[in-house]
Amino acid sequence: MLRLDEVLRAYLHGYFPMADPDDEKVYWCQPHRRAIVPLRNYKTSRVVRSLVRKGAFDVYFNRDFGRVIRSCAAPREEESQTWISEEIIATYTELHEQGFAHSVECYRGDELAGGLYGLAIGGAFFGESMFYTVSNASKVAFDILVKHLDRKGYELLDAQIMNSHLEFLGAVEVEHAEYMRQLELALQKKIRFI
């Protein structure tokens, strides 16, 4: 298993771990351009706003972190492999038990319909992955996360590597130097996620 202090220190310096899908070897990633979600400028889509208003899902924090990270690790239809290895699952499960890693979960009845997980340090939240089995469940979980972080006074929501889904959710790319400036400011805050 990765050493927890090593993982936490890596995040403080702008790195995050990913496993190679072929051999599951973990490597450290530090993109030149970073995807972040500006918390104060975040705008909920009309569809998500409607789902939240109607209470389409029951939303919880940290109810079943293990199921969330394993669901995120499951290969998706368009991807046959995953970067979330057993070593990463074990490490983040322990980080969850230590109070650093958190999940946001959407349920429909007893069914886990979607969710996400990430790491909270100071005033920064590092989003790791999300999944859904019911349409829009991960978008609702993300919406709840953003509003929660904003209410609690977080400064940075790191989405790591830009993709079309993150762009739809409101992420923007910043250069590494700007990311590190925002990270340094965020880490000066002391905020409890829950």
Side-chain angles (χ1 to χ4, degrees), residues 26 28 30 32 35-37 49 54 76-77 84 91 99 115 122 128 135 157 168 170 183-185 188 190-191:
V26 174
W28 297 101
Q30 188 186 57
H32 295 298
I36 64 168
V37 178
R49 220 172 19 249
K54 292 175 184 172
R76 289 151 168 81
E77 285 180 20
I84 304 172
T91 300
E128 289 297 319
S135 291
L157 172 49
F168 172 81
L183 176 60
E184 184 179 349
L185 290 173
Q188 292 172 17
K190 291 183 174 26
I191 304 172

Side-chain angles (χ1 to χ4, degrees), residues 17-18 27 33 35-36 52 62 77 88 92 100 111 125 127 132 134-135 138 143 145 151 157 170 173 176-177 184 189:
M18 294 183 82
Y27 62 94
R33 294 179 58 78
I36 64 168
V52 170
N62 297 331
E77 285 180 20
I88 286 180
Y92 282 80
F100 291 102
E111 178 192 358
F125 189 90
Y132 68 91
V134 176
S135 291
S138 63
D143 182 70
L145 172 69
R151 266 193 314 275
L157 172 49
E173 277 189 314
H176 176 71
E184 184 179 349
K189 291 198 150 192

Side-chain angles (χ1 to χ4, degrees), residues 39-147:
L39 294 170
R40 309 310 180 268
N41 298 329
Y42 170 76
K43 290 180 176 48
T44 309
S45 74
R46 193 168 55 248
V47 170
V48 171
R49 220 172 19 249
S50 173
L51 290 168
V52 170
R53 189 174 54 249
K54 292 175 184 172
F57 300 99
D58 296 319
V59 183
Y60 299 92
F61 293 97
N62 297 331
R63 187 178 190 189
D64 197 342
F65 182 88
R67 276 185 65 203
V68 170
I69 194 168
R70 288 212 170 268
S71 297
C72 288
R76 289 151 168 81
E77 285 180 20
E78 66 278 4
E79 301 165 358
S80 60
Q81 298 176 311
T82 180
W83 60 268
I84 304 172
S85 65
E86 286 299 322
E87 184 177 17
I88 286 180
I89 290 171
T91 300
Y92 282 80
T93 300
E94 188 156 339
L95 285 165
H96 171 67
E97 290 164 3
Q98 299 285 325
F100 291 102
H102 303 279
S103 58
V104 183
E105 304 143 33
C106 287
Y107 288 83
R108 197 159 268 168
D110 293 332
E111 178 192 358
L112 179 58
L116 58 87
Y117 79 96
L119 204 63
I121 306 173
F125 189 90
F126 306 89
E128 289 297 319
S129 187
M130 58 178 61
F131 82 99
Y132 68 91
T133 58
V134 176
S135 291
N136 295 309
S138 63
K139 292 175 187 171
V140 169
F142 184 82
D143 182 70
I144 298 299
L145 172 69
V146 172
K147 290 172 182 170

